[in-house]
Every structure is written in structure tokens, then in C-alpha cells.
Amino acid sequence: MPSEDYHKAMRQGLKEVKAAQALGEETGPRTLPDAPEKLAVRRESLGLAEIPVEQIDGTCNHLRGDAFSRGFYPILPADTEFAAKWSALCRIHLEEGIRDPVKVVEYLNHFYVMEGHKRVSVLKYFGAITIPATVTRLLPKPSDDPEVAAYYEFLDFYKMTGLNFIVFRQPGEYPELLEALGRSDSDAWSAEDIYSFRAFFYMFRDAYLRGDWDYTGISLAFLTYIKIFGYQESCGKMPSQICEELSRIRPEIQNRLENAGTALLLEDDVKKPRFSFYTPGRVCAAFIHDSSAAASKWVYSHEYGRHILENFTDGQVRTLSYENVRTDGEVDQAVEDAVRRGANVIFTTTPKLLLSSVRQAALHPDVKILNCSLNTSYPSVRTYYPRLYGAKFIKGAIAGTLTRDGCIGYVADYPTYGSIASINAFAQGARMVNANARIYLDWAHLRDGGAVGRLQAQGIVYIDYLDRLAASTGTQMGNRHNLALIQTHWGRLYQSLVRRVMEGSWKQEDQGSSAVNYWWGMEQGVVSVLCSRRLPTGPRRLAGVLREALKADRLDPFYGVLMDQSGRVVYGDDAPMPADRILSMNWLLTSVEGRIPQFKEFTEKAQELIKLQGVERQSEP
């Protein structure tokens, strides 16, 4: 009966009102913030369209706030004329169906009702997914506001697809979605592509809502899901399977919804356990590499760390190693084999294996999986990486004492998290001992190559490259004398990470919805600077003094006023710069000659890593 339906709908509306009052929020639908001519630089008529019912959350008439809850459920008493008209519409819907479209204004992906409030209310009560509407779009003035910037990305997405049910509020998320879908162009989608995407999304929607999630987060949840499990690989799944997988990656979704990001653990407070208290072989640690020790210095160094872990823990830890594991399928096989052989800790030693690691963590929640990367936002996989900028600061100071003309070369690998901090720390060290020092920056993985040669052609003698500071004595790399190099003690790092499992502190370091990243450097004994005997006594002693000062927190590379290349003050507090700002640096100091290249300037192999770990380039001044 329509009258019974009204009472049920009214109870739901009053429940929403009570919940909003408890939170001190508005109880009715949002109202259009201002007059259309003030809000928009122009308006567009979209004609008749199917709009998602959940996105109809506003009204153009503020008086309607007294008749509806935030979710457009009725709240006026059952003996009012309003209730009678609502019940009459309910009867029409049950007998004939509501055919007349409502009229709405769309602004920043919110739909505000002009005509048809009761139609929206009735259709929402009966569980409609979309509602036909005549839509007028108000286009805001472009600005740096994140929501506005994200909206203009939506407009590009809308031109390609005509789809309006994917809503992001932060810039960069629509391009992230397209990348996850495997679409690198801006061409219009075919009717078949649109149909397939829509069908899969609404199947995902059904699974998502079964999990008692709030609908407002569905777009971010969808993005997180397809990044981990793949879009094409998931299109054939049933809602029950998607629902199960969603429950497994709940921490990852919660991280995105709360914008919890990454918690950097900078100190290693876990003490060395008394290994005699543990059963031999209690911990089995598997190492998964994307190359081999014979072909890659990176893999070789991690394998050396693995041997130290196994050989210097009194038999308490046994290890497994898997090399040349590159594809998702190979990762699946390696993890399954490692788990079958008793592995309870798994290290994947490259950022390229991150998403595969997250997927495997969802499938094996009892196994602790760690990935060698920085600043990732997947709580189920902890990450680790050496903190290098302190050591780079020391090498910069060494170079500053040696150079005669103040010109020092620096060849960076990729503009990834932490790498810009290393460049700037090197420059800070050089300027500390030599006020005339200038750092000439080039990049090793540009498409045109030849970074070292370009610096040598400028007559630069001292060049930092591949974590080595060297003096050029000729035109060939073989004629460069290494003076100082950075060493990462992977064995020390792996021993400390495994101790967390052995002595039970793993759970204590949990950071809620935030991902955990161990970022350890010289203070924790993970990073050191080795000086050559060729280095004069003075610079060698200076390196020792700086090392002790950094370890004792008496010196910080990023303390005080810092200016970028445009002369803008980017940091001026009378305190060391926070670690998260150091990690995500995307600007260069005024003493650095060079720039951060655009993504397209790097080789394809470099681009793969930059997609995973690249810092966002600073906009041009």
C-alpha cells in the first residue's frame, strides 16, 4: 500500500535527520551554493540523460530542505498534502511507472533538482539505480582548487565515454583510472567498450554495497580494485568473487578513502633478540627478484643481504630465493611455491612487483609480504628503502672541498621518491663548505643518453654517478677515479625487519589505515659512506665529522631557509624539514643547474618505474 510505503520512507528519512543532527550537519539535501550565473563561467545543456541516483543529493530550492532528508526520503507527517502527493506518485510508479524526467542542474558532479523532488524520492525509495533527467551543466571557472581541477579531468573523461557515474575529487585520479584500464589515448570509446565497462561497474557496485560500504567511496574503491586485480582479468568474475576480494583488500580501500597515505618509520627501535629462545628455522624468508644476481648489481646486493640474514642469525632463519620473476603469473607461482615450502615472510625486491605483492597479500593474509619501494599506500604490504640523502650530503661536502672552480656534476637515475632529496642534499653539502659551488644535474636514463659525457664536455672534473663520487682523468669512464661511494647494508636491514616477526613487535608498528614504510639511513646503520685512500686527509676527516654529527642529530641537511630555482622560499621554519616533505620533494635548490625532465623524455624502461614511484613534477613558475 502507498500509505504504508510512505510511513516506511518517512522512518528512513527521520533516521537520516537524527544521524545528521548528531554530527552537527545539515539535515536536508544540499542546496546549490550560489546563483548559476555566479557559479559558472558558462552552462551547457546535456539534454536527456540517465543519472546515478546516489549523485542526486541537492536541490535548487532551499525550502525543499524542510520536506526531505539528505537522502531525499520524506520527513513531513503522514497527514499532510505533501504525503498524499508522495503516495499518489508511489501508486503511479507501481501501476504504470514514472515516465516524466526530472529537471536537474549538474555542478561539480553533484546533481541539484529543479523539478521533480518527489519523483526522485519515490524512485530512490524503490531502489532505482538511475533516474532519467533533463540536465543543465554549470562549468566552474578553472582554478587550482583540487575539486575543480579534478572536475576538468572528469570533463575529458566524459568526452571520451559519456559516463557520469565515476566521480573523483582529487586531480590525477581520472588519468590513474585510464592507466589502470590500459587506455593511453584520448580517443572516444566504442559502444562495445562503454557497454562492457558499464556492465562490469554495476556488477562491482552490487558486490561493493553488499560489503556495507558507503556509496560515496565507490569510485575510489573501484580504482583500487582494478589496479590490484586488473580490469580485463576481473570482467568475467561473479559478484560473489568480487565481494570476497573486496573484503581481502579492505585496508587498501580504507587507505584511499581516508587519504591515510604512508607512515614513515624512521627509527629502528627493535633490539636484537636472544636467538637461543627461538626454534631453529622458525622464520622462513623468501626473496623474489625480477632479475638475477649474475645480470643485476641490484639483485646481487639483495642476495648478499639474504646470505647475511641466513648465516648470521644462529640458524633461526632459513631463506629461499627466486630470480627472474617478472610477470604476474610468475609472481603467483613463486609465492605459491614459497608458501608451500614454509615461507612466512616474503620480500619482493623491486617496485615493479608492488601490485603483484599486494594481490598476493590479499590471497595470503597470514604471510608477511614486504616490497622494496617508497611512499606506497597499500597497508597489507609494508615497504622498505634506504634513506640516502644524509650520505649524499657528505659526498657533496667532499666534492665541495675538492673542486677548484666550484663546478660539480651529478647524474641522477629517475625522478622518484627520495631521489630529488638526494640531489638537494648533495647541493647543500657542497655549499656548506664552498659558497661558490654549483651542481650541474643530468639524468642517466634519458632517451638520448650520454649524461656523463655531457658533463665531462663542460670540463667538470668531479661527478657523482651510480652512488660514486669520482674525479675524471680522461674522456672514458674507465679513467675516473672513485673517491667516495655509498654502501647500503641490506643484510643489516633484512635482519632488523625479520626481528620484528621473531620478537613480536610487527603488530605494534601497525599504523591503522596508513601504510607502513621503513625508511632507514645512516643513523640506523643501513647506509654508510666509504672513502677512497685517494681522498686527501682533510676531506676524509671532514666526512667522519659530518657522519657523526648526522648520526647524533646535531646536523640536518634541510634545516633553515631553502629556496628553489625560481628564488621562491619553499621552506623557512626554524626546524628540520619533516620527513614526508623530504621524501616527496619535487623542486630543485637554487644552487642546482638543471631540471626535472618530463615523463616522455625518459626511456620506456625508466617510465615503468616512474609510473610506480615518480614524484609529481612541480608546475612551471
Side-chain angles (χ1 to χ4, degrees):
M1 294 289 293
S3 59
E4 294 178 2
D5 287 320
Y6 185 83
H7 281 90
K8 291 179 182 179
M10 183 178 66
R11 285 196 294 269
Q12 180 63 29
L14 294 174
K15 182 179 178 181
E16 286 187 357
V17 168
K18 186 176 181 180
Q21 289 173 336
L23 296 174
E25 298 175 348
E26 292 291 332
T27 59
R30 67 169 67 221
T31 56
L32 196 63
D34 209 334
E37 59 271 12
K38 294 182 179 180
L39 287 176
V41 291
R42 73 176 190 274
R43 62 175 67 193
E44 294 179 354
S45 175
L46 303 184
L48 186 63
E50 290 287 333
I51 57 177
V53 68
E54 288 90 351
Q55 289 172 232
I56 307 176
D57 57 0
T59 174
C60 294
N61 183 354
H62 71 278
L63 298 176
R64 288 294 188 172
D66 298 331
F68 298 97
S69 67
R70 297 182 70 177
F72 268 94
Y73 291 100
I75 58 174
L76 295 181
D79 58 354
T80 60
E81 181 183 0
F82 173 90
K85 290 182 177 180
W86 194 99
S87 298
L89 269 178
C90 180
R91 185 178 298 105
I92 292 173
H93 173 70
L94 293 173
E95 294 176 357
E96 306 174 15
I98 294 176
R99 300 173 183 175
D100 294 335
V102 300
K103 291 184 179 181
V104 299
V105 166
E106 184 257 299
Y107 180 68
L108 291 177
N109 269 319
H110 293 283
F111 291 93
Y112 299 86
V113 181
M114 297 175 63
E115 296 180 12
H117 294 78
K118 288 188 285 294
R119 277 172 277 169
V120 170
S121 181
V122 169
L123 289 171
K124 185 163 187 176
Y125 168 73
F126 282 104
I129 296 176
T130 62
I131 294 178
T134 302
V135 183
T136 299
R137 171 173 288 162
L138 302 181
L139 292 167
K141 181 180 179 180
S143 74
D144 293 333
D145 180 272
E147 187 173 14
V148 174
Y151 183 75
Y152 274 89
E153 290 181 357
F154 159 75
L155 293 178
D156 293 335
F157 178 78
Y158 185 81
K159 288 178 183 177
M160 296 168 60
T161 65
L163 301 175
N164 57 13
F165 49 76
I166 296 288
V167 178
F168 296 121
R169 303 294 179 187
Q170 291 296 321
E173 290 173 338
Y174 284 102
E176 188 179 354
L177 172 65
L178 291 171
E179 183 179 333
L181 295 173
R183 305 195 72 101
S184 58
D185 55 51
S186 58
D187 296 338
W189 290 17
S190 68
E192 183 179 357
D193 289 342
I194 295 172
Y195 176 83
S196 298
F197 182 83
R198 186 191 299 272
F200 177 69
F201 178 84
Y202 280 110
M203 183 170 61
F204 176 89
R205 175 187 181 278
D206 179 59
Y208 176 82
L209 295 178
R210 288 186 200 176
D212 196 30
W213 293 89
D214 184 86
Y215 180 84
T216 56
I218 191 169
S219 295
L220 280 176
F222 181 79
L223 173 59
T224 304
Y225 177 86
I226 63 172
K227 285 188 67 175
I228 295 173
F229 293 105
Y231 172 64
Q232 297 296 339
E233 294 80 357
S234 299
C235 283
K237 295 177 181 177
M238 298 297 292
S240 57
Q241 183 180 354
I242 296 174
C243 192
E244 180 183 356
E245 290 172 341
L246 280 171
S247 68
R248 291 179 179 272
I249 62 169
R250 196 175 189 95
E252 276 64 45
I253 296 174
Q254 206 66 42
N255 178 278
R256 290 296 297 251
L257 295 180
E258 297 177 8
N259 195 26
T262 304
L264 294 172
L265 300 190
L266 306 178
E267 302 299 330
D268 182 8
D269 298 325
V270 176
K271 306 301 181 182
K272 183 176 180 179
R274 298 178 180 179
F275 286 107
S276 59
F277 287 171
Y278 297 97
T279 304
R282 175 183 174 183
V283 173
C284 177
F287 289 72
I288 299 177
H289 313 290
D290 72 335
S291 186
S292 67
S296 167
K297 291 181 180 179
W298 176 262
V299 174
Y300 177 86
S301 64
H302 285 272
E303 277 294 279
Y304 184 69
R306 178 179 71 85
H307 285 292
I308 291 177
L309 171 66
E310 186 168 59
N311 296 328
F312 291 89
T313 49
D314 297 337
Q316 304 303 315
V317 180
R318 65 185 178 93
T319 65
L320 306 170
S321 179
Y322 299 84
E323 296 187 347
N324 295 314
V325 179
R326 298 185 176 93
T327 67
D328 289 345
E330 290 171 342
V331 173
D332 295 346
Q333 292 177 10
V335 171
E336 292 295 337
D337 184 74
V339 172
R340 180 181 58 80
R341 296 170 64 183
N344 47 12
V345 181
I346 296 177
F347 296 100
T348 55
T349 61
T350 171
K352 296 177 183 178
L353 300 181
L354 172 63
L355 292 178
S356 297
S357 301
V358 175
R359 186 175 63 255
Q360 287 302 315
L363 299 175
H364 301 281
D366 296 329
V367 179
K368 296 170 176 61
I369 299 181
L370 300 95
N371 177 259
C372 189
S373 59
L374 264 177
N375 206 38
T376 60
S377 299
Y378 297 99
S380 63
V381 171
R382 297 191 182 182
T383 54
Y384 59 97
Y385 210 82
R387 193 165 73 245
L388 300 175
Y389 66 84
K392 291 285 189 179
F393 177 80
I394 293 175
K395 287 207 299 172
I398 293 173
T401 64
L402 297 175
T403 180
R404 293 183 178 180
D405 59 4
C407 299
I408 305 168
Y410 189 108
V411 180
D413 287 332
Y414 320 93
T416 51
Y417 291 116
S419 67
I420 310 301
S422 291
I423 298 168
N424 287 332
F426 186 90
Q428 287 286 85
R431 294 279 284 190
M432 182 185 68
V433 300
N434 187 337
N436 296 318
R438 303 291 297 175
I439 309 304
Y440 290 81
L441 173 64
D442 212 318
W443 298 84
H445 297 280
L446 296 176
R447 290 182 181 274
D448 53 3
V452 174
R454 283 192 293 271
L455 295 174
Q456 289 178 325
Q458 298 178 61
I460 297 175
V461 175
Y462 297 98
I463 300 174
D464 191 84
Y465 176 51
L466 294 177
D467 286 333
R468 290 180 171 88
L469 175 65
S472 175
T473 59
T475 58
Q476 301 299 319
M477 286 295 295
N479 294 327
R480 301 180 70 240
H481 295 158
N482 294 326
L483 301 174
L485 63 87
I486 294 177
Q487 184 176 22
T488 299
H489 303 283
W490 292 107
R492 163 72 178 81
L493 189 149
Y494 283 125
Q495 284 178 311
S496 188
L497 291 174
V498 169
R499 285 188 195 122
R500 284 158 165 71
V501 179
M502 297 181 70
E503 62 93 50
S505 65
W506 181 271
K507 291 183 178 180
Q508 297 173 11
E509 292 179 328
D510 186 77
Q511 300 293 313
S513 297
S514 296
V516 173
N517 186 187
Y518 300 102
W519 198 31
W520 295 333
M522 298 180 63
E523 302 91 326
Q524 293 73 41
V526 171
V527 176
S528 63
V529 178
L530 302 181
C531 295
S532 168
R533 293 180 180 178
R534 295 176 180 269
L535 195 65
T537 301
R540 194 184 310 162
R541 288 180 176 175
L542 174 64
V545 171
L546 295 178
R547 179 175 60 249
E548 294 306 315
L550 287 168
K551 293 175 69 173
D553 285 334
R554 296 195 304 269
L555 180 64
D556 189 286
F558 302 115
Y559 187 100
V561 177
L562 301 173
M563 291 191 296
D564 66 13
Q565 291 175 317
S566 66
R568 180 175 62 96
V569 174
V570 289
Y571 187 75
D573 294 347
D574 190 21
M577 181 180 289
D580 59 339
R581 291 190 62 178
I582 295 174
L583 179 65
S584 58
M585 277 184 180
N586 62 350
W587 47 267
L588 297 169
L589 284 168
T590 186
S591 56
V592 177
E593 300 284 347
R595 63 188 179 89
I596 301 173
Q598 295 183 359
F599 177 78
K600 63 184 179 182
E601 296 179 64
F602 288 94
T603 64
E604 291 184 5
K605 187 175 181 180
Q607 289 178 4
E608 293 178 14
L609 185 60
I610 295 171
K611 285 180 181 179
L612 294 169
Q613 294 276 276
V615 295
E616 182 181 351
R617 294 177 74 251
Q618 185 182 37
S619 58
E620 299 297 334

